[in-house]
Structures are given as C-alpha cells and as structure tokens.
Amino acid sequence: MTYTAAVPRSPKYDARSYPPVAVTADVVVLTVSADDGLQVLLVERGEPPFEGRLALPGGFVRPDEDLEEAARRELAEETGMTTAPHLEQLRTYGAPDRDPRMRVVTVAFLALVPHVGTVVGGTDARGAALHPVATALGRRGRARLAFDHAAIVADAVDRAGTLIERTPVATTFLPREFTIPDLRAVYEAIWGVELDPGNFRRKVLASAGMVVSTDRVVSGTGGRPAELYRRGRARTIDPPLRRPARR
Amino acid sequence: MTYTAAVPRSPKYDARSYPPVAVTADVVVLTVSADDGLQVLLVERGEPPFEGRLALPGGFVRPDEDLEEAARRELAEETGMTTAPHLEQLRTYGAPDRDPRMRVVTVAFLALVPHVGTVVGGTDARGAALHPVATALGRRGRARLAFDHAAIVADAVDRAGTLIERTPVATTFLPREFTIPDLRAVYEAIWGVELDPGNFRRKVLASAGMVVSTDRVVSGTGGRPAELYRRGRARTIDPPLRRPARR
DNA sequence: GGAATAGTGTCTCTGAGACAGTATAGT
DNA sequence: ACTATACTGTCTCAGAGACACTATTCC
C-alpha cells in the first residue's frame, strides 16, 4: 500500500494532517426492459485489480465538485444522459480493504432511467452495457462483480423497491406516455412478484396525481387496447402502494 | 486552502494521484427524555471555525477502521457507551464548501440510546451535552449549529421517524423494562403528535414479538398502575405502525 | 369464434381511528 | 368522593385482495 498523502502521526488529527482517503462516486443505473426485466449498467474493468470483471461506473470526486454533481457527471460520461430522471444518494461504502490498492470510500448513488437509449453516446463507453440484475447478483448465471459492487447493487435494488412504494418514480423507467400494464410490469420487475391487474389499476388511479390520462389508447398486445397515461405531478403516494409480503 | 496531499494533475485520476479529501464520521445521538422530549448530543467547538458554537460529535476515520467502527468509537468517546443499542449509517454530506478549511466528506451515523447515563463518562467529554432537538434546529430559541449540522440533525430525526414505523427500535430509547405509555411517549416525541392511548396499546400488542409481558405492574403516575413489558425478539413490525398524516 | 389482454364490479377481511366505558391508583 | 391515568369494548370506515365479469383486440 503506497500513500502519497501524509500519514497522521498522532491519534488526534487536525485539518492539516488527515488520513489519506480517496472518495469516489459510483452510480447504480437501473432500468427496466420489457423483455429482460430489471437491468443494471456495468462497465468492464480494463486493468487490475479485477481486470476483465464487471463493475459499477464511477470515479473520483473532484476537488470543487459536490457528491451528487460527481455522480451526475459519471452518469453523463457512461450514458450520455445529461438530465437523469431520478438520481439520489444511496449509501457509502468504506471498509478498509475493499480496494486492495488503497483506502477508497465510495458514495454510491441510485439512478433510475428509461430503457431507451441508455447505453449509446457515452464518451467513456468502453464496454458500458446493461446486464440483468439477476445475473449481476449471481442468482442466475454467475457474473461476479468487482470489489463489493454486488452488495451495492443489492442495496440499490432494495432501495428502488421501497422507493416505488411511496413515490411515483416507477414512471421514470417508462417513456413519457405509458399504459397501466407498462407501469405494472415495472413494479413486477423490481418487486419480483406478480400483481393483480385489476387491483393494481384501481390503486394507481386512486392515488391522486400519480398518473394523468391522455384520452388515447394503444393497441398491439393482442388484446383490448390499453389507455395511455402520463406522469402526474404528485411527489408522494399516500397511502403507499405496499408490496406483497415475502413468502 | 493548504493541502498536504498531492493535487491531481490530469482529469483522469488513478489510484496514486487522487484529490485530497478528509473523511470524517459524525454521530447524531438521539435520546428521549420524559421531561424534555427528543434530545440530541452536541459538543461545543473549542476552535475556529464556528468557535463556541454547538456541533455534532465526530472525527476523522482512521486508516484501518471501518466507517461504522469510527462512528462507534466516537460514540464511546463522547458517551462512554461501548455497545450502542442502535447505530446505523444515515447519509453522507460532501458539499465542497461545507468546511472552510478544506474538503471534508462526512459520513453521518444515527445512534439511538436510552436516556440514562448518556453524557457521563466520555473521555472526550469537554462539553458534550444533550439539547432539545427543537432548539438545535432553531425552531424554539436559536442555537444555530456549526457547519451543515442542523441539516444533518433534521435528516436524522426524519429517519428515526420512519424507522420506528417498521421496527421496534423505539424500545432502545427506554430502559430494559417499560410500560406501554412509556413507549407511546417515545413515539409522540419523535413524531411530534399525540396518539390515542387505547389504539396505540392495541396496535403494539398486536405486533407479534414487539414487546413481551412481564407479569408485573408499576404505579406512581397518579392513575391506574401500568403493566411492565420488555422488548421482544421481532426485528420488524408488519403491518407497520403508521404515523398520522401531517396537517 | 377463440385466445389474450384491458378494464369494471363486487364481496370479504383486516386494520385504523373515534370514542364510550371500566379499573385502579393518588389526593 | 374526585381526578388522573391505564386499559377494554365496540362501532364505523377505508383500503387491500380475491375473483367473477365485461370489453376489445389479434389470430
């Protein structure tokens, strides 16, 4: 382990002799595909440690940059998106040995983006690609992630699950106009359960301001055409859309 | 601004030339007093900036120390408690200008402790004392906190409020044996509302494993004696004890 | 017409809240 | 006796879920 910063000499630190720590911002970009369910954006590492393994996009926080700014920059570099529909701080990971090179404290962020055009156009896009969350977490197949990133992804999915209970952010996974069955598919992908179509529709429409009707329908699913909605102005859902109990 | 660590020379950082950042762990120690309601542990700063102002206890994370370990150490130094009943990571604060001396990223932790013996016995206890949350946040009186610590305390109280909805951690504010009215007082202090005694009791007893009856009672409140309970083994409350809607 | 999907109606059950009534202490 | 507090009973209402039923498309 080689540090370039001064190592503190006494147990009582002051502002001018602090432990050498690198702070990074990593982003868990989640999206929902109609075909492949919940997916996460991962990059392939080009150098040791964990060379060739998949990892979360991220990088050092710059000297005059806020944490969220850094996350937003990383997101833009990897996906080309300048305005993320939803970006929030998730949790901070700082175990002393999580990076073998040096002490790295990572502030993880959660980003929810629609499925269209996520991968294209990143300036840093050497190998950034979407992967099903199930394989990233080693539940199906095994694509073991670098560092402790599997744990971070698991935390992110968990957080997304509770987030969509009380806020309308599930709509950020969808294009501007969507149907209730589309929205239901998002909930089912994140929660990993099947929901009753009728009850789900009733609940969503009963949540004031969650969705707004356009008076148009869309067909093509081989059944009755579904009505089109847009996201409403509400920022919270009360009472919440509770996820079914685990069994 | 004087850095002792190497300033990165190119926009592309590697592990050996990273931005100089100090990482600290600060702890929001909350407790509930029967007389004064929700309180937070604060220390008086002995040096600039914000000399003489109140601040959260905290300090640098040491090179081989996990973030939670650092928080636990700070807690022990300030309160003398070696085993905190409840300690969890809250959020990380890293605005570039939040400390005028240098770039400081603070990982904040939330600790819930019983009211007895919290202040006594800290090795670092020069002025660590409990203060009502209302005054710390400037709602009653004005004891403006140093740095962005008021925002951190506000986030902590908010988190505590949602935490006690779904977990039995409210019991960690109380001694080993307590009455239902004691527990109700904790919820009322954190949520800032009055709760119906009968409905609250029924809900708590209906939550499997939240509390366990001792078959004893305690008198002294000038009314019918209350039954004594201990904390149960449950780690979650389902369905949750929902807080009344704001009005 | 048959299958598939969207949407509606309806019944039941659970839980929250309002509030009246009962029990047991201090004064 | 009076008051304060702990506890119990009961009624009502809202919301969740199960599930039958209707509507409209693709084949």
Side-chain angles (χ1 to χ4, degrees):
Chain A
M1 229 185 287
T2 54
Y3 294 128
T4 50
V7 173
R9 289 160 301 269
S10 84
K12 196 70 184 171
Y13 307 127
D14 68 22
R16 267 149 296 278
S17 72
Y18 54 89
V21 182
V23 176
T24 68
D26 288 7
V27 188
V28 184
V29 181
L30 294 181
T31 191
V32 173
S33 147
D35 300 329
D36 304 305
L38 189 60
Q39 301 194 274
V40 57
L41 188 77
L42 299 171
V43 299
E44 191 177 331
R45 284 186 59 79
E47 54 185 34
F50 299 102
E51 186 170 0
R53 291 267 277 280
L54 294 171
L56 292 171
F60 290 96
V61 176
R62 295 181 183 171
D64 288 310
E65 191 179 49
D66 197 357
L67 299 175
E68 187 171 325
E69 254 179 80
R72 201 172 293 279
R73 175 174 53 76
E74 294 294 337
L75 182 74
E77 286 175 4
E78 303 294 344
T79 68
M81 310 189 71
T82 52
T83 60
H86 184 86
L87 180 69
E88 65 170 40
Q89 188 182 315
L90 182 61
R91 197 176 192 284
T92 297
Y93 302 81
D97 57 351
R98 58 186 293 277
D99 189 320
R101 291 166 298 181
M102 63 175 301
R103 185 69 190 267
V104 177
V105 169
T106 292
V107 184
F109 283 79
L110 171 64
L112 311 181
V113 304
H115 187 60
V116 287
T118 15
V119 183
V120 299
T123 63
D124 203 19
R126 31 119 240 268
L130 293 173
H131 298 261
V133 165
T135 70
L137 295 182
R139 285 180 199 152
R140 262 203 304 274
R142 47 191 169 299
R144 289 211 315 284
L145 303 193
F147 307 106
D148 52 1
H149 288 189
I152 300 178
V153 171
D155 286 350
V157 172
D158 198 67
R159 172 95 181 106
T162 62
L163 205 57
I164 61 178
E165 287 189 26
R166 295 171 174 273
T167 72
V169 289
T171 56
T172 63
F173 286 112
L174 299 171
R176 218 173 69 91
E177 300 194 335
F178 53 87
T179 67
I180 303 290
D182 290 339
L183 186 59
R184 177 163 48 87
V186 171
Y187 276 86
E188 291 178 334
I190 295 176
W191 285 348
V193 295
E194 289 205 344
L195 300 173
D196 181 277
N199 292 335
F200 179 83
R201 173 190 175 81
R202 202 190 344 264
K203 174 66 183 169
V204 167
L205 296 183
S207 302
M210 184 172 181
V211 297
V212 178
S213 172
T214 75
D215 288 309
R216 288 172 297 123
V217 296
V218 61
S219 58
T221 52
R224 172 173 173 173
E227 299 168 5
L228 274 175
Y229 291 84
R230 268 200 297 270
R231 180 176 189 167
R233 288 199 187 88
R235 302 190 67 100
T236 61
I237 302 172
D238 195 273
L241 239 152
R242 289 199 61 202
R243 90 210 284 173
R246 278 245 163 271
R247 58 189 66 192
Chain B
M1 232 186 282
T2 54
Y3 294 128
T4 50
V7 174
R9 291 161 302 269
S10 83
K12 194 71 186 173
Y13 307 127
D14 66 23
R16 265 150 297 277
S17 72
Y18 55 89
V21 182
V23 176
T24 68
D26 288 6
V27 189
V28 184
V29 181
L30 293 182
T31 192
V32 173
S33 147
D35 300 329
D36 304 305
L38 189 61
Q39 300 193 272
V40 58
L41 188 78
L42 299 172
V43 299
E44 191 176 331
R45 284 186 58 79
E47 54 185 34
F50 300 103
E51 186 170 0
R53 292 266 279 277
L54 294 172
L56 292 171
F60 291 96
V61 175
R62 297 183 182 170
D64 289 310
E65 193 178 48
D66 197 356
L67 300 175
E68 187 171 323
E69 254 179 81
R72 200 173 293 279
R73 174 174 54 76
E74 293 294 337
L75 183 74
E77 287 175 3
E78 304 293 344
T79 69
M81 309 188 72
T82 53
T83 60
H86 184 85
L87 180 69
E88 66 170 39
Q89 188 182 316
L90 182 61
R91 198 175 192 284
T92 297
Y93 302 81
D97 56 351
R98 59 185 292 277
D99 189 319
R101 291 166 298 181
M102 63 174 301
R103 184 70 190 267
V104 177
V105 169
T106 291
V107 185
F109 283 79
L110 171 64
L112 310 182
V113 304
H115 188 61
V116 287
T118 16
V119 182
V120 298
T123 62
D124 203 17
R126 31 120 240 269
L130 293 174
H131 297 260
V133 165
T135 70
L137 295 182
R139 287 179 196 151
R140 262 204 304 273
R142 48 192 168 299
R144 289 210 315 284
L145 304 191
F147 307 106
D148 52 1
H149 288 189
I152 300 179
V153 171
D155 286 350
V157 172
D158 199 67
R159 172 98 181 102
T162 63
L163 206 56
I164 61 178
E165 286 189 26
R166 295 171 173 273
T167 72
V169 289
T171 56
T172 63
F173 287 113
L174 299 171
R176 217 173 70 91
E177 299 195 336
F178 53 86
T179 67
I180 302 289
D182 289 340
L183 186 58
R184 177 164 47 87
V186 171
Y187 276 87
E188 291 179 334
I190 295 176
W191 285 348
V193 295
E194 288 204 344
L195 301 173
D196 181 277
N199 292 336
F200 180 82
R201 173 190 176 81
R202 202 188 346 263
K203 175 66 184 168
V204 167
L205 296 183
S207 301
M210 184 172 180
V211 297
V212 178
S213 172
T214 75
D215 289 311
R216 289 172 296 122
V217 296
V218 61
S219 58
T221 52
R224 173 173 172 176
E227 298 169 5
L228 274 176
Y229 291 84
R230 269 201 297 271
R231 180 176 188 167
R233 288 201 187 87
R235 301 190 67 98
T236 61
I237 303 172
D238 194 273
L241 237 153
R242 289 199 63 202
R243 88 211 286 173
R246 278 245 164 272
R247 57 189 66 193

